[in-house]
Every structure is written in C-alpha cells, then in structure tokens.
C-alpha cells in the first residue's frame, strides 16, 4: 500500500470511529442530560393524579420549591435508594428548610402504579412526600417536559414480567415552577444538602 493510500485509510477509519462515538453518545438520553440542563428547558405543566386521587397540575405546587423525581414502585434498587437519600437530605436540612421543599415522586409505570400504591410507597420514605401518577399519556407528557427517559424492559424474574429503565435525576424547581438545578443519581447526601441549601 502506498503512503498516501495508507493515510487515506487511516483518516477513513478515524472518521468512522468518531462517527460511531457520536452516534453511541447521542443514543443515550439519560447520560446526555448535561447538554440540555443548562436553562429553563426542564419542567413544564403536567396534569396528573396525586396519591389521594385528586387531579393536580404544577400550579397546585406554586409557592413552594419542588424536588421532582420520576420512578416506579416496583423499582428494585434505584428508586428506593434515591427516595431514601432525598428523605435523609431533608432531615439533614432541618425541619424549617424541609418545609420549603415539596418532594414529588412521579410514576413512569402508571399501568401498575395506582394512587393508592403511590401513597403507600412514598409514605414509607417520608410523611410529606407526594406520589403522582396518571394515564399513560399524562405520564408521557410529564416525563417529556422534564426530559426524563424511560422504557419498559421485559424481565422474567420480575413479578410483573418487566422492569422499567429510567433516568434518575432529581430536579429542583422554584416556587414558580422554574428549573433551579438537578441532582445526579447516587449523589452523596452531603453533596445533595450543599447543593439544595444554595437555593434556600
Ligand atoms: Ni427506579
């Protein structure tokens, strides 16, 4: 092979690799989050049902900050860990600060998660957490507003025959439902306390 041909072949391979890397990167919405998190792109009105069976929109939570997290009650590990960490973070912030933040846990598996199930589930973590669910369409719209990725994955070992893959960021929203910041999954509690305290 001539030198020129070798160089063109190498350049071709590099272009292919870069293309593949870009493709793989863009194909992972959960990890691509940082690119879109810079401004008011997160959040938006939703119409859902709270864990007492009441129809709600984001305007029902005006005047208080919100920590919004999407998940499902059959989640084997991620959701329980995050909800436990959020509850502990609120405890660390103290009762006065905790009152300024309403935690909203929004189901991305509404076919399983009835309001009753959401109530029982969130109250296991914290008395003041609110669980929200809705129709499949309502949940899809809410998840889209918060740029939350989720997908049903068949799983034989699961009681319900599937599990849900989902992004697990928590979003801090202000009193007027504007995005303030987000907490990545598996954050250390101390880091969550520091990050949230900045906005109180
Ligand atoms: Ni989960």
């Amino acid at each position: 092979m001539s030198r020129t041909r070798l160089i063109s072949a190498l350049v071709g391979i590099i272009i292919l690799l870069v293309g593949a890397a870009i493709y793989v990167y863009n194909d992972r919405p959960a990890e691509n989050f940082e690119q879109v998190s810079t401004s008011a792109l997160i959040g938006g009105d939703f119409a859902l049902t709270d864990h007492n069976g009441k129809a709600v929109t984001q305007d029902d939570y005006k005047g208080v900050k919100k920590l919004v997290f999407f998940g499902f009650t059959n989640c084997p590990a991620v959701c329980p860990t995050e909800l436990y960490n959020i509850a502990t973070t609120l405890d660390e912030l103290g009762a006065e600060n905790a009152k300024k933040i309403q935690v909203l846990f929004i189901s991305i598996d509404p076919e399983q998660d009835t309001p009753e199930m959401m109530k029982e589930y969130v109250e296991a973590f914290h008395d003041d957490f609110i669980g929200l669910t809705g129709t499949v369409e309502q949940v899809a719209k809410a998840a889209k507003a918060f740029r939350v990725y989720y997908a049903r994955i068949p799983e034989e070992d699961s009681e319900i025959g599937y599990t849900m893959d989902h992004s697990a960021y928590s979003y801090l929203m202000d009193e007027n439902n504007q995005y303030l910041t987000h907490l990545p999954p598996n954050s250390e509690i101390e880091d969550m306390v520091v990050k949230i305290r900045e906005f109180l």
Side-chain angles (χ1 to χ4, degrees):
M1 200 184 279
S2 76
R3 199 188 159 99
T4 322
R5 277 195 159 205
L6 182 64
I7 289 169
S8 335
L10 283 175
V11 167
I13 286 166
I14 288 165
I15 288 170
L16 277 176
L17 286 175
V18 168
I22 290 169
Y23 177 79
V24 167
Y25 185 69
N26 284 336
D27 202 33
R28 300 169 75 175
E31 282 152 36
N32 202 17
F33 182 81
E34 293 294 340
Q35 285 190 328
V36 294
S37 67
T38 46
S39 67
L41 292 170
I42 304 294
D45 205 9
F46 53 73
L48 294 164
T49 302
D50 78 8
H51 68 211
N52 293 312
K54 184 185 163 227
V56 293
T57 69
Q58 67 174 2
D59 288 341
D60 286 272
Y61 307 104
K62 260 197 160 175
V64 66
K65 291 192 173 66
K66 283 134 313 249
L67 194 57
V68 182
F69 179 70
F70 288 75
F72 66 117
T73 65
N74 284 296
C75 188
V78 175
C79 293
T81 304
E82 291 305 318
L83 289 173
Y84 173 80
N85 287 350
I86 291 169
T88 310
T89 298
L90 292 187
D91 289 346
E92 296 280 318
L93 284 165
E96 281 306 305
N97 282 327
K99 266 190 250 167
K100 298 177 193 165
I101 304 164
Q102 176 61 61
V103 173
L104 298 177
F105 178 58
I106 303 180
S107 174
I108 42 82
D109 186 19
E111 286 170 81
Q112 293 287 334
D113 291 339
T114 61
E116 296 75 23
M117 284 173 69
M118 294 298 282
K119 184 178 170 76
E120 193 181 329
Y121 190 73
V122 295
E123 286 182 353
F125 295 94
H126 198 290
D127 286 343
D128 298 327
F129 284 5
I130 292 178
L132 302 177
T133 186
T135 65
V136 170
E137 293 75 21
Q138 286 175 326
V139 162
K141 191 173 171 233
K144 194 175 175 203
F146 283 84
R147 299 182 178 258
V148 166
Y149 151 82
Y150 63 100
R152 189 185 278 211
I153 311 287
E155 189 173 276
E156 278 177 26
D157 294 343
S158 159
E159 224 171 273
I160 54 174
Y162 63 87
T163 187
M164 301 296 293
D165 191 16
H166 65 96
S167 47
Y169 290 87
S170 305
Y171 309 95
L172 186 65
M173 310 297 289
D174 77 4
E175 290 79 354
N176 295 309
N177 299 311
Q178 300 298 306
Y179 168 86
L180 292 172
T181 190
H182 66 273
L183 307 168
N186 281 317
S187 293
E188 295 292 332
I189 285 159
E190 305 87 84
D191 296 340
M192 292 167 74
V193 169
V194 168
K195 203 161 186 184
I196 290 175
R197 210 194 290 275
E198 271 175 51
F199 294 96
L200 294 176

